[in-house]
Amino acid sequence: MAYKLRIKFNKYAHMIFIGHLDLMRYFQKAMRRGGVDISYSEGFSPHQIMSFAQPLGVGIYSDGEYMDISVNSLTSEQQLKDALNGVMSEGVDILSVKLLADKTPNSMASVVAASYFVAFREGYEPDFDLAKAAADFYAQDKIMIEKETKKGTRTLDLKEHIYSFSYDPDKNSLYMLLDASSGGNIKPSLVMEQLYREQGRELGEFDLIVTREDMFALKDPDKPGVFISLGEIGDSY
Amino acid sequence: MRKLALRDEILLKVEKPARYIGGEIGSIQKNMDQVSIRFAMCFPDVYEIGMSHLGIQILYDMLNRMDDVWCERVYSPWTDLDEIMRKENIPLFALESQEPVRGFDFLGITLQYEMCYTNILQVLDLAGIPLLSTERGCDDPIVIGGGPCSYNPEPIADFFDLFYIGEGENRYGELLTLYRKFRGIAEDGRGHFSERKNEWDREGFLREAAKIPGIYAPSLYDVSYGEDGCIASFTPKYDDIPAVIEKEMVEDLDSSPYPTAPVVPFIRVTQDRMTLEIMRGCIRGCRFCQAGQLYKPLRERSTQVLKKYARELMKNTGHEEISLSSLSSSDYTGLPELLDFLMEECGRQKVNIALPSLRIDAFSLDVMNKVQDVKKSSLTFAPEAGTQRMRNVINKGLTQEDIEGGAREAFLGGWNKVKLYFMLGLPGETTEDIQGIAHLANDIAKLYYDTVPKEERKGKIQITVSTSFFVPKPFTPFQWAPMDRPEMFTQKAAICKEEIRAQLNQKSIKYNWHDADTSIMEGVFARGDRRLCKVILRAYEAGCFYDAWTEYYKHDVWMQCFEEEGIDPYFYTERERTKEEILPWDFISCKVSRSFLWREWEKSKCEEVSTNCREGCQGCGMAAYGLGICPKRK
């Protein structure tokens, strides 16, 4: 009997410099250190049943990362949280654990949107009126851009992939909810590049401090546009 | 939260920023209020290499067990960061605190191979520590070297304040106590320490430290040279400084500290696994092998203790693989028991067992069969020489029958990949010896086709022959031996290649050989003297570093630096030394007697073999200490 669990965690401090593959290896080791009764695949080199909602780029902070694991026995949400938090490095905390129903699609398959908080690195703040620029940017009916893909460049309407967009005057920062589906994933830097371009500026490589705040699935597969946080799916146990 | 030494912009620009951020599981943070001594432990190569080294983990663990000592790690910044640090004047920092190394009390540098010597200068330079010991003052850390290359520290003597000769477990306590005394560091009885004196007697400290067994202070010795270019005298400057420095060795491994909660890197490193050091030393008397002499006598850890360590390592690291470390694991008496235990424990915890190069026989094949995928794994043999004659010269007790016997069993068990390791340029080597490498490889291929019936073969036999060039090392019977010129090496590799191509089974044999130029340079530094310090300094200033990395090794620059300093590199490699010559490392004793080594050198010339320590004592001098495998003292 195996149980599917969804683990929500964050990423900050020096851990933002750890790439996705290394983070996976980090968690594989953490499972062993924490004594988690995780399921393994069969074969000569068995691996842990573990999958992540979506890779997070190096240098990006997060308050809402998810991985799904399969375990052979159940303890409790609190017990698993404590076991893992007891063996974490500074920079990753386990925020919550949910028990998923057998038929729940895994996070990688179900993620369709992600929310981001975009601030500016000290000394790299925009030299234009960000509030106005953001308002003008999002007021457009269409935001046509050229996106580089593996198959070459294609033209797309960015606006269709931005589900919400707002400016925070207190923090001189932006909130955005973006398409994170496997076919239409949009990075916040792509949005910001276009916003800068429209101001006649070029976005610098290190200008932004990006935090992924959360990731979302469709609340009802038949109703596009209604989202539920990946962390709200499943039950406490 | 720790503040990182490098700005985000830099970390996002360089390759593998995880090399520089510290904070790994098992890395140690301490409260500065309770720390009296700060120790930076450096492996002068890139993080992934340095993090794979067990010795550093042992010392890191040992020093951090001392409550008031904070030992941190330092590695060579890779070339991309090196450039940025120089341009922006960012001082080299230690990983744990992210604070500049220059402010530490000690900078320990492990010397694992000769080709890292320019990286020592890189580390000192980036740290802002004067490269020459004579130019350092009260504000500079004490720079101390250790590890195998410290058994001939002379080519880098000018860059170090001290060297520690031998196993690090023994004398650091004493050395640090002496340091506290000189710096006026006292504890107030409540775990807090007084401020250190800024003006202090650094030279006095070095002089006192030189009296601690195993500690060598190069500045306290005078060297003079004769007209033939050889050393005429090597003497301490003061009467109270020892003329000979004896290596330190651990008496009982079971009671010495072992890191069962080592630092677990975030990124994949070269040896990305748990390591169990099952024993130190080696009973085999291979005449080319330096480690075999330096780590004598053989001392085993008990199986009991190793089982406990294995469990703790799994619990503390979460690594998915465990490996055994020793010079010759098949000689460990508790091997069957230990492997049985590991197979059971690791099977339960889904941990792989990486097998060290075990002697290939029925027992090891059975183990390999259980823990590896036979289809993917290969057999490794290190005959080191192609003919029995040459194997007798080097006292490598592995016969063609041994190899064929092991290979036959393996072929029947389903293996069809074989790796063979050899050396070219061994003393007294003939063309027949070189060609013998090809013949041996061919014989093994033939054996496969004779042993395994056609219908049972799972593909062709794949044999990989690798040759390296022999580099004579101090404290081996070959320390007096001449070394070939690079053009000789290239010729010899060509002979070997040609003969392999002439074999019936040549299509099954792949041949790799090592670069000749770096082997020569390794030979120069291995047996060099103090006059080489200025060549190394010049080469570093001319842009040489990461010499161990073929893509960064600049042979032309090195050769030019030798010329500019008026030093002939071949003086150190080509000469056969006489018994009387004062060798640059003669002031060090590895407790194996010079007369024993000379005897072995003579025997090698007569192609005469010596028994191993278990079969019969060869009287190397080690028995006087009654440790490990040596007969107990009465």
Side-chain angles (χ1 to χ4, degrees), chain B residues 9-70:
Chain B
E9 297 94 301
I10 294 174
L11 286 166
L12 291 172
K13 204 152 42 185
V14 297
E15 198 184 304
K16 299 188 188 172
R19 287 167 173 164
Y20 313 110
I21 58 178
E24 305 96 326
I25 295 294
S27 63
I28 305 285
Q29 292 295 328
K30 290 202 177 185
N31 182 349
M32 271 309 295
D33 290 348
Q34 280 138 39
V35 168
S36 78
I37 291 182
R38 300 191 67 177
F39 202 116
M41 190 63 82
C42 170
F43 191 113
D45 205 320
V46 75
Y47 177 88
E48 295 94 303
I49 303 283
M51 277 300 291
S52 304
H53 185 245
L54 177 64
I56 290 261
Q57 296 263 16
I58 291 176
L59 294 177
Y60 180 81
D61 169 74
M62 179 192 82
L63 290 168
N64 279 318
R65 283 180 199 219
M66 304 174 187
D67 288 338
D68 64 324
V69 178
W70 189 7

Side-chain angles (χ1 to χ4, degrees), chain B residues 38 51 74 177 284 289 390 582 608:
Chain B
R38 300 191 67 177
M51 277 300 291
V74 178
T177 302
R284 320 251 145 207
C289 179
M390 197 74 234
I582 298 175
E608 203 183 314

Side-chain angles (χ1 to χ4, degrees), chain A residues 25 32-33 44 90 124, chain B residues 1 9 268 272 315 317:
Chain A
R25 292 180 344 103
R32 287 209 182 81
R33 288 196 298 269
F44 236 109
E90 183 197 12
Y124 292 83
Chain B
M1 215 188 297
E9 297 94 301
R268 215 178 264 287
D272 204 10
K315 176 93 192 77
T317 66

Side-chain angles (χ1 to χ4, degrees), chain B residues 389-390 393 425-431 433 482 492 601 607:
Chain B
R389 186 198 80 79
M390 197 74 234
V393 169
L426 288 162
E429 184 176 54
T430 64
T431 307
D433 294 321
K492 287 179 173 186
W601 174 223
E607 300 165 23

Side-chain angles (χ1 to χ4, degrees), chain B residues 282-290 292-293 296 328 331 359 382-399 402 423 426-428 470 476-478 596-597 599-620:
Chain B
C282 185
I283 58 170
R284 320 251 145 207
C286 299
R287 291 180 179 130
F288 56 83
C289 179
Q290 188 187 37
Q293 303 299 340
K296 267 182 175 173
S328 170
D331 293 327
R359 195 161 48 238
E384 310 290 1
T387 58
Q388 194 56 47
R389 186 198 80 79
M390 197 74 234
R391 285 194 291 273
N392 291 347
V393 169
I394 62 177
N395 201 41
K396 178 84 193 184
L398 183 69
T399 64
D402 294 336
M423 280 185 282
L426 288 162
F470 169 62
T476 67
F478 291 160
F596 161 76
L597 295 174
R599 208 156 65 231
E600 283 290 299
W601 174 223
E602 300 270 85
K603 277 171 94 175
S604 83
K605 290 176 176 170
C606 307
E607 300 165 23
E608 203 183 314
V609 298
S610 295
T611 56
N612 72 45
C613 297
R614 273 201 186 114
E615 292 163 349
C617 178
Q618 290 290 328
C620 72

Side-chain angles (χ1 to χ4, degrees), chain A residues 12-19 21-23 25-26 28-35 40-41 44-48 58-61 87-90 121-122 124 205-206 208-209, chain B residues 1-2 4 7-13 17-18 21-25 264-269 272 314-321 349-352 369-374 376:
Chain A
Y12 60 97
H14 62 264
M15 289 303 287
I16 66 167
F17 298 105
I18 305 302
L21 292 177
D22 290 326
L23 189 74
R25 292 180 344 103
Y26 167 81
Q28 286 160 6
K29 291 183 166 86
M31 293 294 162
R32 287 209 182 81
R33 288 196 298 269
Y40 283 81
S41 66
F44 236 109
S45 43
H47 59 267
Q48 298 177 355
V58 172
I60 299 180
Y61 295 80
V87 296
M88 286 291 112
S89 156
E90 183 197 12
R121 193 158 269 123
E122 210 181 316
Y124 292 83
E205 204 181 340
F206 308 114
L208 307 179
I209 299 176
Chain B
M1 215 188 297
R2 290 180 317 139
L4 299 181
R7 300 193 312 275
D8 287 4
E9 297 94 301
I10 294 174
L11 286 166
L12 291 172
K13 204 152 42 185
I21 58 178
E24 305 96 326
I25 295 294
V264 181
F266 289 123
I267 52 174
R268 215 178 264 287
V269 297
D272 204 10
M314 291 184 207
K315 176 93 192 77
N316 294 332
T317 66
H319 272 302
E320 60 180 16
E321 192 164 85
Q349 307 217 25
K350 303 286 193 294
V351 168
N352 302 325
N369 196 19
K370 286 177 187 150
V371 306
Q372 297 173 342
D373 188 346
V374 173
K376 287 180 195 148

